[in-house]
Amino acid sequence: MSKLLPGNGKQLFACFVFSVFAGGVWASNMTADHSQFEALQQPFTDVEDINVACVSCHNQAEEQLHDTVHWQWTFPLEGEAEDGDEQLGKLHVLNGYHPNVVSNASDCGSCHIGYGLSSRVSDVIQEAAVDCLMCHDTSGEYFYNKFHQDGAECTMCHDDAGEANKDRVKDEGERFTLGLTEIAQSVGATSVASCGSCHFYDGGADGAKHGDLDSALIGAEFEMDVHMSPDGANLSCSDCHQSDNHKLAGSRYESLSPIDTQGVSALEGSRATCVSCHGDRPMHDEKLNDHTDVVACQACHIPAYARNGISTKTSWDWSTAEKRDRRRRPIASYDEDGNVIFASGKGDMTYGDDLTPMYQWHDGKLDYATVGETIDPAQLTPLNPSQAVRDGEAKIFPFHQFTSRLPYDVETNQLLPINLVGRSRDALWNGYDWEKALKAGARAADVEFSGEYDFADVQTIRALNHTVAPKEQALQCVDCHSENGLMAAVPNVYVPGSGQHSWLDRFGGLAMLAAFFGVLMHGALRWFFNRRRRQS
């Protein structure tokens, strides 16, 4: 712990003690052994029955969960009517990975923490339509049972049809042996592994989507993440993303500002910000503390991402999907690390390791593109741009940037939803026909489609908040305060030492040389005339 203590050590220690007490002690000394509950003493054959048993005791959990972004995948814009056209959340926004949920809701719901996920927000939620074990399973085997039972399309989340999952929890060759009843009786507090079963593997593969979230955080090395490492603070996800009636702190939709001015507040619990534990002047060097009004902690303390040997995706070209072999069978190809670089249903993909973040002003607000967004196909379209400027409400944050090529209607210039999965031939992953897949996607999303389409370049950015490196690996002064330093592309900020002018440097050098030789000449003349006076 001494490795992490900042200048404001007493406050951080208080926060740490609270988090250990709340998250660690209570979790490790639970007052209930679920294997003893009568409701769980039955031979479960499907996962829905387990949830019915769970809510028979936890009778508030179902209603609480249904009111969260985690379950709904929808978040109403403040002051707007609550309909699908005026809401955010995964159900409505576009991204460059699996571009949309709206036309694939049934299959997305197979891996979703609830049941009956629908593109229509007004649909009645089914009874016990929750998935308690997705978050509270401690055996590591539940996700296999669920996905196999629900018949989820493996490629919906995994580029290689599920191959990436084989060694996620068990060592290679070791079989999954627990039944649903044993799994149900082993429920417990959430963990890095249970949260990561979804958040580490979305976007197609381990670490693919975020760049700062991957399986290396389970039992992380200290150099990998000082917060989650057993050799560091040994925190779990819920120590920062604390829950209030199943609503977790830190949602990028609900927590609209990462700028925290409240300081350390151990007794109130974490706000999922650096300041809530470390304060706003956490370092011993006050000169470094002077940076915190404009530079986010993450900018210096996450000097690189995807730096743990697990690659993250850097681009995805959907326009090359549909290509198959001579027998019209889908194909895939891999790089030397086993990453899928082409798949017939997805197109071409690239990956990167040990990447330098993109830096820009950010106040927590992103303008998300939704299904049917109008674009200029001749330009790179940001799908979730940050419009922040230096105004006292924003700081410089690090981002993972990701580019894609997505389909759009050439007559309306609207980005089109893709119908990816299903048994019909209008699903891209079944019929491999772009026109049919786009017509079905547009129909599901209630978007007009002329029948003529092309592909345009788009960009998705994601703020980096995890894999915090030890202070010895943080950015040094010279990384920014030098010509072409890391902050060179950030507008409205002057970084001493980064803005060099060659002609001014030459003039300054010549001026210094002239002054130097002037001093020498002056000294020589004084010596010469003093000597003449003595001789005369």
Side-chain angles (χ1 to χ4, degrees):
M1 188 63 195
S2 61
K3 298 177 182 178
L4 303 180
L5 284 175
N8 198 351
K10 291 182 179 178
Q11 289 180 309
L12 177 61
F13 181 70
C15 182
F16 173 73
V17 169
F18 174 80
S19 67
V20 170
F21 181 68
V25 175
W26 290 349
S28 60
N29 295 287
M30 297 180 66
T31 59
D33 178 0
H34 285 74
S35 67
Q36 303 300 314
F37 282 98
E38 183 177 353
L40 301 179
Q41 304 298 317
Q42 55 181 297
F44 293 107
T45 57
D46 60 68
V47 295
E48 287 89 341
D49 289 343
I50 296 176
N51 297 317
V52 173
C54 291
V55 299
S56 68
C57 289
H58 300 276
N59 51 28
Q60 301 297 310
E62 179 181 1
E63 183 178 354
Q64 291 173 359
L65 193 65
H66 288 169
D67 193 37
T68 66
V69 176
H70 250 127
W71 198 92
Q72 291 279 5
W73 282 8
T74 187
F75 181 74
L77 291 170
E78 186 176 355
E80 302 286 352
E82 293 190 8
D83 61 65
D85 292 330
E86 299 178 54
Q87 294 200 352
L88 297 179
K90 282 188 178 182
L91 199 57
H92 310 287
V93 303
L94 287 168
N95 66 74
Y97 299 84
H98 296 96
N100 59 277
V101 172
V102 65
S103 59
N104 304 286
S106 60
D107 276 78
C108 292
S110 297
C111 306
H112 185 243
I113 65 168
Y115 296 98
L117 177 68
S118 172
S119 61
R120 295 172 297 186
V121 179
S122 60
D123 281 2
V124 176
I125 299 174
Q126 302 173 23
E127 183 180 357
V130 294
D131 195 342
C132 308
L133 270 66
M134 201 64 203
C135 297
H136 293 284
D137 170 45
T138 63
S139 70
E141 298 193 11
Y142 172 70
F143 64 91
Y144 270 109
N145 284 272
K146 177 178 179 176
F147 297 165
H148 289 169
Q149 173 183 299
D150 284 2
E153 184 78 52
C154 297
T155 49
M156 195 69 211
C157 295
H158 304 286
D159 292 333
D160 51 357
E163 289 295 317
N165 273 331
K166 285 190 174 179
D167 59 354
R168 278 176 56 174
V169 179
K170 300 290 185 179
D171 293 332
E172 186 175 354
E174 189 175 352
R175 297 181 60 188
F176 288 77
T177 58
L178 297 182
L180 285 177
T181 299
E182 295 171 289
I183 294 173
Q185 293 176 359
S186 66
V187 296
T190 61
S191 65
V192 174
S194 63
C195 296
S197 66
C198 286
H199 291 285
F200 295 165
Y201 295 90
D202 53 357
D206 188 6
K209 194 169 188 177
H210 300 276
D212 64 339
L213 289 173
D214 55 51
S215 61
L217 290 174
I218 303 173
E221 298 290 335
F222 182 72
E223 292 72 20
M224 173 63 193
D225 189 286
V226 298
H227 293 127
M228 295 190 187
S229 172
D231 297 323
N234 198 26
L235 300 179
S236 183
C237 304
S238 58
D239 287 314
C240 290
H241 299 279
Q242 293 185 7
S243 172
D244 180 15
N245 293 329
H246 280 90
K247 291 184 178 180
L248 299 176
S251 165
R252 66 180 180 273
Y253 297 116
E254 295 182 281
S255 302
L256 293 181
S257 177
I259 312 303
D260 188 345
T261 60
Q262 299 182 48
V264 175
S265 56
L267 295 180
E268 296 177 12
S270 174
R271 296 183 297 276
T273 65
C274 303
V275 170
S276 66
C277 272
H278 295 276
D280 58 358
R281 300 186 69 83
M283 291 164 285
H284 294 293
D285 187 334
E286 285 302 314
K287 191 61 180 177
L288 293 178
N289 284 328
D290 288 342
H291 289 68
T292 59
D293 60 333
V294 292
V295 181
C297 304
Q298 295 92 321
C300 292
H301 290 279
I302 306 178
Y305 64 100
R307 55 187 175 82
N308 53 17
I310 298 176
S311 302
T312 192
K313 283 185 179 174
T314 54
S315 71
W316 191 330
D317 185 355
W318 280 90
S319 70
T320 58
E322 193 180 37
K323 292 188 300 185
R324 290 171 288 174
D325 66 14
R326 293 180 179 178
R327 297 183 180 180
R328 310 297 293 166
R329 294 177 302 186
I331 55 177
S333 55
Y334 305 80
D335 64 16
E336 59 184 10
D337 296 321
N339 298 310
V340 179
I341 56 177
F342 175 80
S344 294
K346 296 185 176 184
D348 289 287
M349 293 162 276
T350 63
Y351 302 79
D353 298 276
D354 199 22
L355 299 172
T356 299
M358 175 187 74
Y359 299 93
Q360 68 178 63
W361 294 102
H362 183 48
D363 60 2
K365 300 179 181 64
L366 297 172
D367 293 333
Y368 292 93
T370 55
V371 174
E373 188 86 7
T374 301
I375 65 167
D376 179 358
Q379 304 290 329
L380 176 68
T381 300
L383 291 183
N384 58 339
S386 172
Q387 303 292 349
V389 295
R390 184 173 184 173
D391 58 1
E393 299 296 327
K395 294 185 180 183
I396 299 172
F397 276 81
F399 287 87
H400 165 44
Q401 59 179 332
F402 177 84
T403 58
S404 311
R405 286 182 61 79
L406 297 183
Y408 72 97
D409 189 310
V410 298
E411 291 191 7
T412 63
N413 286 341
Q414 288 183 306
L415 289 173
L416 294 168
I418 309 171
N419 184 37
L420 294 173
V421 294
R423 296 182 181 275
S424 66
R425 303 299 292 179
D426 60 8
L428 183 65
W429 292 346
N430 190 24
Y432 296 96
D433 187 313
W434 268 115
E435 185 175 353
K436 290 181 179 179
L438 294 176
K439 283 183 178 179
R443 185 168 56 249
D446 195 24
V447 173
E448 294 293 330
F449 176 43
S450 68
E452 299 294 326
Y453 67 92
D454 202 346
F455 293 83
D457 294 320
V458 300
Q459 179 193 59
T460 303
I461 60 172
R462 294 188 178 276
L464 299 168
N465 295 296
H466 308 90
T467 62
V468 174
K471 63 182 181 180
E472 293 80 9
Q473 297 178 18
L475 294 183
Q476 301 300 304
C477 300
V478 70
D479 292 317
C480 299
H481 296 277
S482 60
E483 189 173 4
N484 299 319
L486 293 175
M487 302 298 162
V490 180
N492 300 320
V493 59
Y494 171 63
V495 182
S498 63
Q500 306 293 327
H501 301 279
S502 57
W503 64 268
L504 187 59
D505 290 344
R506 292 191 188 101
F507 178 80
L510 290 173
M512 291 177 64
L513 285 173
F516 176 72
F517 284 112
V519 170
L520 287 179
M521 182 64 69
H522 176 74
L525 289 173
R526 286 180 64 89
W527 175 81
F528 176 75
F529 287 112
N530 284 338
R531 183 178 181 185
R532 286 192 62 180
R533 280 198 301 270
R534 286 196 299 269
Q535 290 177 346
S536 62

